[in-house]
Amino acid sequence: MKLSGFKYLADQGVENIWKNKMMAFATFCVLLISLLLVGSSVLFYLNMNSMILGLGNQNEIAIYLDPETAQEDVDAFGEKLKSLENINTVDYISKEQAYESMQDQISRGKAIFDYIDGYDFMPDGFNATVINNDTIEDTVAQISQMEHVESVSSMPQVAEFLRELRRVVTIIAVAIIIALAAVSMIMISNTTKASVFARREEIQIMKYVGATNAFIRMPFFVEGMVTGFFAGAGAFFITWAVYRSVYRILTEQGMLMRAFGIGSIIPFDNIRLYVAFAYLLAGALIGALGSVVSTRRHLDV
Amino acid sequence: MVELQNVSVTYSSGVDALNNVSLKINDGDFAFVVGSSGAGKSTMIKLLLKEIDATSGVVTVNGYNLNKLKKRKIPEFRRTLGFVFQDFRLIPSMTVYENIAFVLRVIDAPVKYIRKRVPYVISLVGLHAKTNSYPDELSGGEKQRVAIARALVNDPQLIIADEPTGNIDPELSYEIVELLKGINDQGTTILMVTHEHDLVRHFGGRIINITDGEIVFDEVISGVTDEPLPEEELAQTMAEAAGGQAQAPSPVTSTEDALIDEVIAALTGADQGGAE
Ligand SMILES: Nc1ncnc2c1ncn2[C@@H]1O[C@H](COP(=O)(O)OP(=O)(O)OP(=O)(O)O)[C@@H](O)[C@H]1O
Ligand SMILES: [Mg+2]
């Protein structure tokens, strides 16, 4: 098709939108909401993946002993720990080291430490790494049975929790996507029906003078695509604004994040281009496809 | 070229609209199709446009066997013909120019060609001054001339006109047929359905009468005159038309007179609810 012909058809498509302002707007809104929900599910999923990945390497077990434990018992415990089947390396963290690292973490509340005399209240601790991550839970259980142990924890519990969460989110996201795709298609189908109706005389005449099906459909295709494109753009800007404020809030809660081992939320700037591209493409594609599918039904061409 | 061989059309409602009709219209012919209301004239037109299919028989138009024509070939086929309907079928939101240019855009003609061709056909139908008017701003006759320009614009081999004068003042009907005759002189085949016997009588030519789905008359008769009527003679014809049973004026031979009487008898006999 020649460029002039295409321009004519594109103009017709834009004119369609203008002719059915209300329907086009409703479609725009539904598409926008659909894209937003799908987009935020995907972003949530990506971030969770990034967190799980960040945690995945941490095959570490943190062990804290009863602060009352005598030094030789602590040393003996260290040896015994090393001899355990699944244990790879063992790092001793003395009361003093633990105290210092706590001071670092609570840097803003330094004043508290003025009231604390010495570090004897801190427990002795060990950081152990395991050989096989899959049986880490068993190892944790085994250690917790040992003498002098006050608490044992492994980060993979968080990772496990995130994995479980990811599974649930995946299921919900897929359900949302299917439902929204259906709703979007219905909306676009109705909009197309309305614009087919508004142009039925023209379409009839077009058929008489020998217009091809592709030619008759083209304006509707453009209509759907343009509506979808704008919905994609809208969804992008909303996502941008919301994501950035959520990101800011979470990073300001540095303590909380570290406690969960969440150091790996993706900054929006890193993914802005991909998000924009994905939204625009998805919007335009859904809009265009929806109108093509429904012109096939409503146009009898 | 139009050819029907033993064509019958039965609508899904059970109505037999055409019954074993055979007909051949050669390239360059001008044929009037007459017949009473409900006789099957529009059905035949729809058949030729491939809007409907024959229940039986073979329909050939411009070299296309419509029985075998694939759906995706329909556009290609329709580009070889032009159509004119009683109700004009202009797009109200488009100017005269756009309504005509539209046809060429549909067939993806080059812009340069559109810019030359459209004003040319507009001047052919004498509507140069109305180029940028909208259909609502035109009289019935003018609208129909736009429709004729539109039918002409892609230079079709055949123009099919279903009661093109049906919604127009009788005196303007002559102009419309003159226009179609002029187009026919350039070699375009024209098939025109009409209710107006005066037109048929005046112009003569091939006359096909369909009654109850069958062709009951198909002959060439000479018209009252092939030249445009002088103004007063036209007025007289109008008066006769208003008076009903008009007698054919003098320059017709007696045999032709008899033929015309036969046609008129067939027309007026069957046609109670006609367009007069
Ligand atoms: N779509 C249809 N479905 C069922 N029957 C139809 C349909 N179109 C026409 N008919 C019937 O077929 C017969 C022929 O109709 P057609 O329209 O061809 O008549 P016509 O000669 O054009 O009449 P007129 O001069 O009034 O336009 C009529 O009995 C009509 O009621
Ligand atoms: Mg009819």
Side-chain angles (χ1 to χ4, degrees):
Chain A
M1 176 165 298
K2 289 170 200 71
L3 202 63
S4 60
F6 182 78
K7 189 188 169 300
Y8 167 75
L9 291 173
D11 288 349
Q12 289 299 303
V14 173
E15 201 184 307
N16 272 1
I17 297 178
W18 188 242
K19 275 187 187 160
N20 320 285
K21 288 179 279 284
M22 285 316 291
M23 279 307 290
F25 185 68
T27 309
F28 169 83
C29 291
V30 170
L31 263 177
L32 179 80
I33 293 166
S34 307
L35 286 170
L36 269 179
L37 286 172
V38 173
S40 35
S41 309
V42 170
L43 285 174
F44 189 71
Y45 183 84
L46 285 179
N47 273 297
M48 211 142 51
N49 250 354
S50 152
M51 286 177 208
I52 290 167
L53 261 155
L55 290 172
N57 322 335
Q58 297 182 350
N59 51 350
E60 273 185 9
I61 300 174
I63 301 136
Y64 297 100
L65 301 183
D66 182 354
E68 307 288 307
T69 316
Q71 188 60 44
E72 60 259 37
D73 289 342
V74 173
D75 294 342
F77 180 85
E79 290 306 313
K80 212 172 143 194
L81 195 60
K82 250 178 237 174
S83 67
L84 284 180
E85 208 180 318
N86 195 24
I87 294 298
N88 187 14
T89 63
V90 172
D91 272 331
Y92 172 57
I93 294 154
S94 67
K95 285 178 176 7
E96 193 178 354
Q97 285 167 330
Y99 181 68
E100 275 166 12
S101 104
M102 187 174 80
Q103 265 187 324
D104 283 349
Q105 282 189 20
I106 316 178
S107 53
R108 273 199 271 179
K110 271 228 155 56
I112 302 171
F113 296 98
D114 297 345
Y115 300 93
I116 298 168
D117 187 22
Y119 41 76
D120 274 348
F121 71 97
M122 292 296 292
D124 286 287
F126 291 89
N127 278 345
T129 59
V130 292
I131 298 164
N132 182 357
N133 229 338
D134 295 340
T135 57
I136 195 162
E137 296 299 313
D138 299 337
T139 314
V140 168
Q142 200 180 356
I143 295 169
S144 63
Q145 300 300 313
M146 287 161 68
E147 212 180 343
H148 307 301
V149 172
E150 186 158 285
S151 74
V152 192
S153 68
S154 66
M155 292 311 267
Q157 283 175 325
V158 179
E160 198 50 49
F161 168 72
L162 286 179
R163 272 196 203 96
E164 185 58 25
L165 192 60
R166 179 172 64 179
R167 210 174 58 81
V168 174
V169 169
T170 308
I171 293 168
I172 293 172
V174 168
I176 288 177
I177 289 171
I178 291 171
L180 290 178
V183 172
S184 306
M185 286 291 176
I186 291 168
M187 285 303 292
I188 293 164
S189 167
N190 278 332
T191 315
T192 308
K193 200 159 122 189
S195 50
V196 167
F197 186 76
R199 294 171 62 119
R200 64 197 179 287
E201 282 180 331
E202 238 170 295
I203 290 168
Q204 188 58 42
I205 294 164
M206 277 175 158
K207 287 187 192 173
Y208 276 131
V209 300
T212 57
N213 293 350
F215 186 93
I216 295 175
R217 283 205 198 122
M218 184 60 99
F220 302 103
F221 182 81
V222 171
E223 178 186 8
M225 197 166 72
V226 170
T227 310
F229 185 85
F230 278 109
F236 170 72
F237 286 115
I238 292 172
T239 306
W240 189 358
V242 172
Y243 193 102
R244 269 169 39 134
S245 27
V246 170
Y247 183 79
R248 200 173 303 130
I249 290 166
L250 284 180
T251 42
E252 270 166 16
Q253 306 292 323
M255 270 275 290
L256 182 78
M257 304 237 317
R258 220 169 294 124
F260 277 101
I262 302 173
S264 32
I265 290 187
I266 307 163
F268 196 72
D269 289 345
N270 292 5
I271 50 169
R272 191 174 51 210
L273 278 180
Y274 302 107
V275 173
F277 186 70
Y279 266 138
L280 295 179
L281 190 74
L285 215 66
I286 295 172
L289 275 181
S291 69
V292 165
V293 169
S294 57
T295 29
R296 215 176 260 276
R297 263 199 300 148
H298 300 307
L299 263 187
D300 186 33
V301 289
Chain B
M1 208 255 311
V2 173
E3 189 169 10
L4 305 185
Q5 294 167 14
N6 307 104
V7 171
S8 298
V9 172
T10 305
Y11 284 109
S12 52
S13 61
V15 177
D16 289 319
L18 287 179
N19 194 2
N20 200 27
V21 169
S22 293
L23 173 70
K24 187 168 178 185
I25 296 165
N26 290 313
D27 284 341
D29 278 4
F30 188 115
F32 282 115
V33 177
V34 296
S36 57
S37 188
K41 304 182 296 296
S42 295
T43 301
M44 191 173 90
I45 297 295
K46 283 190 254 177
L47 208 55
L48 300 182
L49 291 171
K50 192 152 168 86
E51 241 187 286
I52 56 170
D53 288 315
T55 315
S56 67
V58 181
V59 182
T60 314
V61 179
N62 292 343
Y64 290 85
N65 179 341
L66 298 193
N67 302 66
K68 292 188 182 146
L69 192 66
K70 296 230 170 58
K71 235 187 167 182
R72 62 187 168 79
K73 289 277 191 187
I74 292 178
E76 183 190 305
F77 158 68
R78 285 192 179 152
R79 289 174 193 192
T80 67
L81 43 92
F83 65 89
V84 179
F85 288 115
Q86 180 173 1
D87 56 358
F88 320 123
R89 307 219 184 156
L90 302 175
I91 299 168
S93 61
M94 291 185 183
T95 62
V96 167
Y97 182 94
E98 288 162 349
N99 262 288
I100 297 166
F102 177 73
V103 177
L104 293 177
R105 290 212 181 95
V106 163
I107 64 175
D108 207 17
V111 173
K112 267 192 184 162
Y113 179 72
I114 297 178
R115 289 213 188 106
K116 271 175 67 182
R117 178 74 182 166
V118 176
Y120 173 69
V121 292
I122 290 176
S123 64
L124 276 187
V125 299
L127 282 179
H128 191 71
K130 304 284 185 179
T131 300
N132 293 314
S133 301
Y134 287 90
D136 286 348
E137 301 161 3
L138 303 177
S139 73
E142 287 166 338
K143 282 186 207 174
Q144 201 56 298
R145 281 191 277 162
V146 176
I148 289 172
R150 181 179 61 189
L152 266 181
V153 75
N154 63 349
D155 204 10
Q157 299 170 40
L158 167 71
I159 290 181
I160 292 172
D162 192 356
E163 297 198 43
T165 58
N167 283 355
I168 308 179
D169 288 345
E171 58 242 72
L172 291 174
S173 300
Y174 286 83
E175 279 180 23
I176 294 295
V177 182
E178 290 292 353
L179 199 52
L180 291 172
K181 280 278 188 191
I183 294 163
N184 175 245
D185 289 341
Q186 307 298 311
T188 307
T189 314
I190 294 188
L191 186 66
M192 172 175 161
V193 172
T194 184
H195 266 121
E196 287 169 82
H197 315 139
D198 290 312
L199 279 181
V200 177
R201 223 159 24 110
H202 174 71
F203 289 98
R206 180 161 172 198
I207 299 174
I208 300 160
N209 185 340
I210 300 181
T211 299
D212 288 338
E214 288 177 37
I215 293 180
V216 296
F217 179 91
D218 183 357
E219 303 275 345
V220 177
I221 63 169
S222 34
V224 169
T225 170
D226 281 338
E227 299 303 314
L229 285 178
E231 213 57 53
E232 62 271 23
E233 216 175 320
L234 184 64
Q236 191 201 336
T237 313
M238 288 305 111
E240 283 171 9
Q245 303 286 336
Q247 288 302 309
S250 51
V252 185
T253 65
S254 55
T255 37
E256 280 169 337
D257 220 359
L259 267 175
I260 292 167
D261 282 345
E262 192 182 325
V263 176
I264 290 170
L267 294 176
T268 47
D271 187 17
Q272 302 306 335
E276 292 198 6

